[in-house]
Amino acid sequence: MAGLTLGHSILICHGQLSRRLLSHECRHVSQYEQAGSIAAFLPLYLQSIVQVGYWESLFERDARAYELADV
Ligand SMILES: [Zn+2]
């Protein structure tokens, strides 16, 4: 894991910052906002991961769709 988003806080591992990763994590911020709170979003997100795995999670697929290419 190179990045983690909790609400409006985005944590990126040292040396891992990229346009693609930052845009991905910003989409997770949007997902938190759509859910209304961290408490509302995290159970949905974690349930998705448990059910179909990280890669196939709807939240991860959505975030990947919003990734900007690195330049
Ligand atoms: Zn993600």
Side-chain angles (χ1 to χ4, degrees), residues 3 10 29 31 35-36 38 44 51 63 69:
I10 297 174
V29 171
Q31 293 169 350
I38 293 174
L44 298 174
Q51 288 178 335

Side-chain angles (χ1 to χ4, degrees), residues 24-25 28 45 54 59-60 63:
H24 179 103
E25 299 303 328
H28 285 314
Y45 177 81
Y54 175 82
F59 298 104
E60 289 304 325

Side-chain angles (χ1 to χ4, degrees), residues 25-43:
E25 299 303 328
C26 283
R27 183 59 181 172
H28 285 314
V29 171
S30 175
Q31 293 169 350
Y32 274 100
E33 290 178 340
Q34 290 174 25
S37 68
I38 293 174
F41 175 73
L42 277 182

